[in-house]
Short mmCIF file of all heavy atoms in Angstrom, two decimals:
data_model
loop_
_atom_site.label_atom_id
_atom_site.label_comp_id
_atom_site.label_asym_id
_atom_site.label_seq_id
_atom_site.Cartn_x
_atom_site.Cartn_y
_atom_site.Cartn_z
N LEU A 21 154.43 105.43 184.42
CA LEU A 21 152.94 105.24 184.65
C LEU A 21 152.65 104.10 185.61
O LEU A 21 151.74 104.21 186.48
CB LEU A 21 152.29 104.95 183.25
CG LEU A 21 150.78 104.93 183.30
CD1 LEU A 21 150.04 106.11 183.85
CD2 LEU A 21 150.23 104.55 181.90
N VAL A 22 153.36 103.09 185.50
CA VAL A 22 153.04 101.82 186.23
C VAL A 22 153.19 102.14 187.71
O VAL A 22 152.47 101.63 188.59
CB VAL A 22 153.95 100.67 185.81
CG1 VAL A 22 153.87 99.52 186.82
CG2 VAL A 22 153.68 100.18 184.42
N ARG A 23 154.25 103.02 188.07
CA ARG A 23 154.38 103.39 189.47
C ARG A 23 153.48 104.49 189.95
O ARG A 23 153.09 104.55 191.05
CB ARG A 23 155.87 103.80 189.62
CG ARG A 23 156.85 102.72 189.55
CD ARG A 23 158.30 103.04 189.58
NE ARG A 23 158.72 104.35 190.04
CZ ARG A 23 159.94 104.83 189.68
NH1 ARG A 23 160.75 104.13 188.94
NH2 ARG A 23 160.39 105.91 190.19
N VAL A 24 152.88 105.27 188.95
CA VAL A 24 152.04 106.34 189.33
C VAL A 24 150.61 105.81 189.60
O VAL A 24 149.94 106.33 190.49
CB VAL A 24 152.12 107.32 188.22
CG1 VAL A 24 150.92 108.42 188.43
CG2 VAL A 24 153.38 108.15 188.18
N VAL A 25 150.29 104.83 188.76
CA VAL A 25 148.85 104.42 188.83
C VAL A 25 148.37 104.03 190.22
O VAL A 25 147.23 104.46 190.60
CB VAL A 25 148.60 103.15 187.91
CG1 VAL A 25 147.36 102.47 187.99
CG2 VAL A 25 148.63 103.70 186.38
N PRO A 26 149.11 103.28 191.04
CA PRO A 26 148.55 102.84 192.35
C PRO A 26 148.26 104.07 193.23
O PRO A 26 147.54 103.85 194.32
CB PRO A 26 149.61 102.03 192.93
CG PRO A 26 150.39 101.45 191.70
CD PRO A 26 150.37 102.61 190.64
N HIS A 27 148.71 105.20 192.92
CA HIS A 27 148.45 106.40 193.71
C HIS A 27 147.33 107.26 193.22
O HIS A 27 147.04 108.35 193.88
CB HIS A 27 149.77 107.23 193.92
CG HIS A 27 150.95 106.45 194.42
ND1 HIS A 27 150.98 106.13 195.80
CD2 HIS A 27 152.03 105.89 193.87
CE1 HIS A 27 152.06 105.39 195.88
NE2 HIS A 27 152.76 105.29 194.73
N LEU A 28 146.68 106.93 192.13
CA LEU A 28 145.67 107.74 191.60
C LEU A 28 144.22 107.31 192.12
O LEU A 28 144.02 106.18 192.42
CB LEU A 28 145.69 107.53 190.01
CG LEU A 28 146.99 107.97 189.37
CD1 LEU A 28 146.82 107.74 187.75
CD2 LEU A 28 147.20 109.47 189.57
N ALA A 29 143.33 108.29 192.11
CA ALA A 29 141.95 108.02 192.59
C ALA A 29 141.38 107.25 191.45
O ALA A 29 141.62 107.46 190.21
CB ALA A 29 141.34 109.36 192.83
N PRO A 30 140.38 106.30 191.79
CA PRO A 30 139.60 105.64 190.78
C PRO A 30 138.98 106.54 189.76
O PRO A 30 138.90 106.21 188.59
CB PRO A 30 138.55 104.87 191.51
CG PRO A 30 139.24 104.75 192.88
CD PRO A 30 139.96 105.94 193.15
N GLU A 31 138.50 107.70 190.24
CA GLU A 31 137.85 108.65 189.30
C GLU A 31 138.86 109.12 188.29
O GLU A 31 138.49 109.35 187.04
CB GLU A 31 137.24 109.88 190.13
CG GLU A 31 136.10 109.45 190.97
CD GLU A 31 136.54 108.91 192.31
OE1 GLU A 31 137.74 108.81 192.60
OE2 GLU A 31 135.53 108.43 192.97
N THR A 32 140.04 109.36 188.70
CA THR A 32 141.07 109.76 187.72
C THR A 32 141.37 108.66 186.73
O THR A 32 141.68 108.98 185.50
CB THR A 32 142.35 110.21 188.44
OG1 THR A 32 142.11 111.24 189.40
CG2 THR A 32 143.48 110.67 187.47
N LEU A 33 141.45 107.45 187.22
CA LEU A 33 141.69 106.29 186.39
C LEU A 33 140.63 106.24 185.33
O LEU A 33 140.87 105.90 184.05
CB LEU A 33 141.84 105.00 187.13
CG LEU A 33 143.14 104.88 188.12
CD1 LEU A 33 142.99 103.60 188.91
CD2 LEU A 33 144.41 104.86 187.24
N ARG A 34 139.42 106.38 185.79
CA ARG A 34 138.34 106.36 184.74
C ARG A 34 138.38 107.48 183.70
O ARG A 34 138.13 107.23 182.54
CB ARG A 34 137.01 106.46 185.44
CG ARG A 34 135.79 106.09 184.52
CD ARG A 34 134.49 106.35 185.25
NE ARG A 34 133.39 105.88 184.34
CZ ARG A 34 132.11 106.40 184.44
NH1 ARG A 34 131.90 107.28 185.37
NH2 ARG A 34 131.26 106.01 183.64
N GLN A 35 138.90 108.61 184.13
CA GLN A 35 139.02 109.71 183.17
C GLN A 35 140.08 109.36 182.14
O GLN A 35 139.95 109.62 180.95
CB GLN A 35 139.45 111.03 183.84
CG GLN A 35 138.22 111.79 184.50
CD GLN A 35 138.75 113.18 185.03
OE1 GLN A 35 139.60 113.23 185.90
NE2 GLN A 35 138.24 114.23 184.43
N LEU A 36 141.18 108.78 182.62
CA LEU A 36 142.25 108.29 181.78
C LEU A 36 141.81 107.25 180.75
O LEU A 36 142.10 107.28 179.47
CB LEU A 36 143.45 107.76 182.60
CG LEU A 36 144.23 108.73 183.46
CD1 LEU A 36 145.25 107.89 184.34
CD2 LEU A 36 144.92 109.66 182.54
N ILE A 37 141.00 106.27 181.18
CA ILE A 37 140.44 105.27 180.33
C ILE A 37 139.53 105.85 179.31
O ILE A 37 139.42 105.52 178.13
CB ILE A 37 139.76 104.16 181.13
CG1 ILE A 37 140.90 103.34 181.96
CG2 ILE A 37 138.94 103.26 180.20
CD1 ILE A 37 140.23 102.44 182.94
N GLN A 38 138.64 106.78 179.73
CA GLN A 38 137.70 107.44 178.82
C GLN A 38 138.46 108.31 177.74
O GLN A 38 138.00 108.40 176.61
CB GLN A 38 136.70 108.29 179.60
CG GLN A 38 135.70 107.52 180.38
CD GLN A 38 134.80 108.42 181.22
OE1 GLN A 38 135.20 109.42 181.71
NE2 GLN A 38 133.42 107.88 181.35
N TYR A 39 139.54 108.89 178.16
CA TYR A 39 140.26 109.72 177.28
C TYR A 39 141.08 108.90 176.25
O TYR A 39 140.98 109.20 175.00
CB TYR A 39 141.33 110.56 178.09
CG TYR A 39 142.27 111.38 177.23
CD1 TYR A 39 141.81 112.57 176.67
CD2 TYR A 39 143.66 110.94 177.02
CE1 TYR A 39 142.70 113.31 175.82
CE2 TYR A 39 144.40 111.76 176.18
CZ TYR A 39 144.01 112.92 175.59
OH TYR A 39 144.89 113.53 174.85
N ARG A 40 141.74 107.85 176.68
CA ARG A 40 142.50 107.02 175.73
C ARG A 40 141.80 105.88 175.05
O ARG A 40 142.06 105.46 174.00
CB ARG A 40 143.76 106.37 176.49
CG ARG A 40 144.67 105.58 175.66
CD ARG A 40 145.38 106.38 174.59
NE ARG A 40 146.21 107.55 174.99
CZ ARG A 40 147.48 107.36 175.47
NH1 ARG A 40 148.09 106.09 175.40
NH2 ARG A 40 148.13 108.38 175.76
N GLY A 41 140.74 105.34 175.81
CA GLY A 41 139.91 104.26 175.33
C GLY A 41 140.38 102.97 176.04
O GLY A 41 141.60 102.77 176.25
N LEU A 42 139.44 102.18 176.48
CA LEU A 42 139.68 100.97 177.23
C LEU A 42 140.73 100.07 176.59
O LEU A 42 141.69 99.52 177.22
CB LEU A 42 138.49 100.29 177.66
CG LEU A 42 138.63 99.01 178.56
CD1 LEU A 42 139.32 99.37 179.84
CD2 LEU A 42 137.26 98.38 178.82
N ASP A 43 140.51 99.92 175.33
CA ASP A 43 141.42 98.88 174.61
C ASP A 43 142.87 99.29 174.51
O ASP A 43 143.72 98.50 174.14
CB ASP A 43 140.89 98.71 173.12
CG ASP A 43 140.80 100.00 172.35
OD1 ASP A 43 140.85 101.09 172.95
OD2 ASP A 43 140.61 99.93 171.12
N ALA A 44 143.16 100.64 174.83
CA ALA A 44 144.54 101.14 174.78
C ALA A 44 145.06 101.26 176.29
O ALA A 44 146.17 101.73 176.40
CB ALA A 44 144.62 102.41 174.04
N CYS A 45 144.35 100.79 177.25
CA CYS A 45 144.81 101.02 178.61
C CYS A 45 145.02 99.71 179.40
O CYS A 45 144.79 99.70 180.67
CB CYS A 45 143.67 101.81 179.35
SG CYS A 45 143.62 103.55 178.72
N GLY A 46 145.45 98.63 178.68
CA GLY A 46 145.66 97.42 179.42
C GLY A 46 146.70 97.51 180.44
O GLY A 46 146.56 97.01 181.64
N GLU A 47 147.85 98.15 180.18
CA GLU A 47 148.88 98.30 181.22
C GLU A 47 148.44 99.17 182.38
O GLU A 47 148.74 98.70 183.56
CB GLU A 47 150.12 98.92 180.60
CG GLU A 47 151.31 98.97 181.45
CD GLU A 47 152.53 99.73 180.91
OE1 GLU A 47 152.39 100.39 179.82
OE2 GLU A 47 153.62 99.68 181.49
N LEU A 48 147.69 100.20 182.11
CA LEU A 48 147.11 100.97 183.22
C LEU A 48 146.26 100.19 184.07
O LEU A 48 146.27 100.21 185.33
CB LEU A 48 146.35 102.16 182.55
CG LEU A 48 145.76 103.24 183.52
CD1 LEU A 48 145.69 104.56 182.81
CD2 LEU A 48 144.42 102.79 183.95
N VAL A 49 145.40 99.38 183.52
CA VAL A 49 144.41 98.65 184.27
C VAL A 49 145.09 97.63 185.13
O VAL A 49 144.79 97.44 186.38
CB VAL A 49 143.45 97.89 183.35
CG1 VAL A 49 142.49 96.92 184.15
CG2 VAL A 49 142.46 98.96 182.72
N THR A 50 146.03 96.85 184.61
CA THR A 50 146.77 95.78 185.32
C THR A 50 147.72 96.33 186.40
O THR A 50 148.27 95.60 187.26
CB THR A 50 147.49 94.79 184.32
OG1 THR A 50 148.40 95.58 183.53
CG2 THR A 50 146.48 94.13 183.45
N SER A 51 147.97 97.68 186.27
CA SER A 51 148.89 98.34 187.26
C SER A 51 148.11 98.88 188.49
O SER A 51 148.66 99.18 189.49
CB SER A 51 149.65 99.52 186.65
OG SER A 51 150.44 99.09 185.58
N ALA A 52 146.76 98.79 188.40
CA ALA A 52 145.96 99.33 189.50
C ALA A 52 145.88 98.32 190.56
O ALA A 52 146.04 97.09 190.42
CB ALA A 52 144.49 99.55 188.95
N THR A 53 145.71 98.71 191.78
CA THR A 53 145.60 97.81 192.90
C THR A 53 144.23 97.15 192.87
O THR A 53 143.26 97.70 192.22
CB THR A 53 145.80 98.55 194.28
OG1 THR A 53 144.55 99.50 194.46
CG2 THR A 53 147.02 99.37 194.37
N PRO A 54 143.98 96.05 193.62
CA PRO A 54 142.68 95.44 193.62
C PRO A 54 141.50 96.44 194.03
O PRO A 54 140.41 96.45 193.50
CB PRO A 54 142.87 94.29 194.61
CG PRO A 54 144.24 93.96 194.44
CD PRO A 54 144.98 95.25 194.30
N ALA A 55 141.88 97.25 195.12
CA ALA A 55 140.86 98.17 195.60
C ALA A 55 140.55 99.25 194.57
O ALA A 55 139.30 99.62 194.41
CB ALA A 55 141.38 98.89 196.96
N GLN A 56 141.57 99.76 193.89
CA GLN A 56 141.33 100.62 192.76
C GLN A 56 140.45 100.09 191.67
O GLN A 56 139.64 100.75 191.20
CB GLN A 56 142.57 101.15 192.18
CG GLN A 56 143.43 102.17 192.99
CD GLN A 56 144.75 102.43 192.30
OE1 GLN A 56 145.47 101.50 191.94
NE2 GLN A 56 144.97 103.79 192.15
N LEU A 57 140.81 98.92 191.30
CA LEU A 57 140.07 98.20 190.20
C LEU A 57 138.64 97.90 190.56
O LEU A 57 137.76 98.09 189.67
CB LEU A 57 140.89 96.89 189.81
CG LEU A 57 140.48 96.26 188.45
CD1 LEU A 57 140.58 97.29 187.35
CD2 LEU A 57 141.23 95.04 188.21
N THR A 58 138.35 97.54 191.79
CA THR A 58 137.11 97.33 192.24
C THR A 58 136.21 98.59 192.15
O THR A 58 135.14 98.60 191.65
CB THR A 58 137.07 96.67 193.66
OG1 THR A 58 137.64 95.47 193.69
CG2 THR A 58 135.60 96.56 194.11
N SER A 59 136.85 99.63 192.61
CA SER A 59 136.12 100.95 192.64
C SER A 59 135.93 101.43 191.16
O SER A 59 134.88 102.03 190.73
CB SER A 59 136.81 101.99 193.35
OG SER A 59 136.91 101.65 194.74
N LEU A 60 136.94 101.18 190.37
CA LEU A 60 136.86 101.63 188.95
C LEU A 60 135.82 100.91 188.26
O LEU A 60 135.07 101.48 187.35
CB LEU A 60 138.21 101.29 188.28
CG LEU A 60 138.42 101.67 186.77
CD1 LEU A 60 138.03 103.15 186.55
CD2 LEU A 60 139.82 101.39 186.32
N LEU A 61 135.68 99.52 188.48
CA LEU A 61 134.68 98.82 187.81
C LEU A 61 133.28 99.16 188.24
O LEU A 61 132.31 99.22 187.56
CB LEU A 61 134.88 97.21 188.10
CG LEU A 61 136.01 96.63 187.39
CD1 LEU A 61 136.27 95.23 187.81
CD2 LEU A 61 135.88 96.70 185.88
N ASP A 62 133.19 99.49 189.60
CA ASP A 62 131.92 100.03 190.07
C ASP A 62 131.48 101.28 189.28
O ASP A 62 130.30 101.57 189.01
CB ASP A 62 131.93 100.32 191.57
CG ASP A 62 131.90 99.09 192.45
OD1 ASP A 62 131.32 98.01 191.93
OD2 ASP A 62 132.34 99.10 193.56
N LEU A 63 132.47 102.19 189.04
CA LEU A 63 132.15 103.41 188.23
C LEU A 63 131.80 103.18 186.81
O LEU A 63 130.93 103.75 186.29
CB LEU A 63 133.40 104.37 188.41
CG LEU A 63 133.68 104.97 189.74
CD1 LEU A 63 135.02 105.69 189.69
CD2 LEU A 63 132.67 105.99 190.15
N ASP A 64 132.46 102.18 186.29
CA ASP A 64 132.49 101.95 184.77
C ASP A 64 131.39 101.01 184.35
O ASP A 64 130.89 101.12 183.21
CB ASP A 64 133.77 101.49 184.31
CG ASP A 64 134.02 101.83 182.78
OD1 ASP A 64 133.90 103.00 182.39
OD2 ASP A 64 134.22 100.85 182.03
N LEU A 65 130.95 100.01 185.23
CA LEU A 65 130.02 98.99 184.75
C LEU A 65 128.58 99.22 185.09
O LEU A 65 127.74 98.54 184.62
CB LEU A 65 130.47 97.69 185.41
CG LEU A 65 131.83 97.09 184.88
CD1 LEU A 65 132.13 95.75 185.57
CD2 LEU A 65 131.85 96.97 183.39
N TRP A 66 128.34 100.16 185.99
CA TRP A 66 126.98 100.44 186.47
C TRP A 66 126.51 101.75 185.90
O TRP A 66 127.07 102.85 186.05
CB TRP A 66 126.86 100.42 187.90
CG TRP A 66 127.17 99.16 188.56
CD1 TRP A 66 128.35 98.73 189.05
CD2 TRP A 66 126.26 98.06 188.74
NE1 TRP A 66 128.23 97.28 189.45
CE2 TRP A 66 126.98 96.97 189.31
CE3 TRP A 66 124.85 97.79 188.43
CZ2 TRP A 66 126.40 95.74 189.50
CZ3 TRP A 66 124.28 96.62 188.67
CH2 TRP A 66 125.05 95.62 189.25
#
């Protein structure tokens, strides 16, 4: 998963987080690139 995450679209990452729950996705979140995380937060926080 750690090697797969940087190649996923932010929308897919958000789906994964919504499916598993944010509190269970720490490793997934910290494996994302800064650009992915910025886009992911834009999707999730607004």
Side-chain angles (χ1 to χ4, degrees):
L21 182 62
V22 173
R23 288 172 20 199
V24 171
V25 166
H27 303 285
L28 299 176
E31 292 79 8
T32 302
L33 292 176
R34 189 185 185 204
Q35 279 188 301
L36 292 171
I37 289 171
Q38 289 177 326
Y39 175 77
R40 180 65 60 88
L42 180 59
D43 57 346
C45 290
E47 183 182 14
L48 183 153
V49 169
T50 55
S51 300
T53 67
Q56 282 178 310
L57 193 53
T58 297
S59 297
L60 179 56
L61 289 172
D62 282 341
L63 291 169
D64 201 57
L65 293 179
W66 296 92

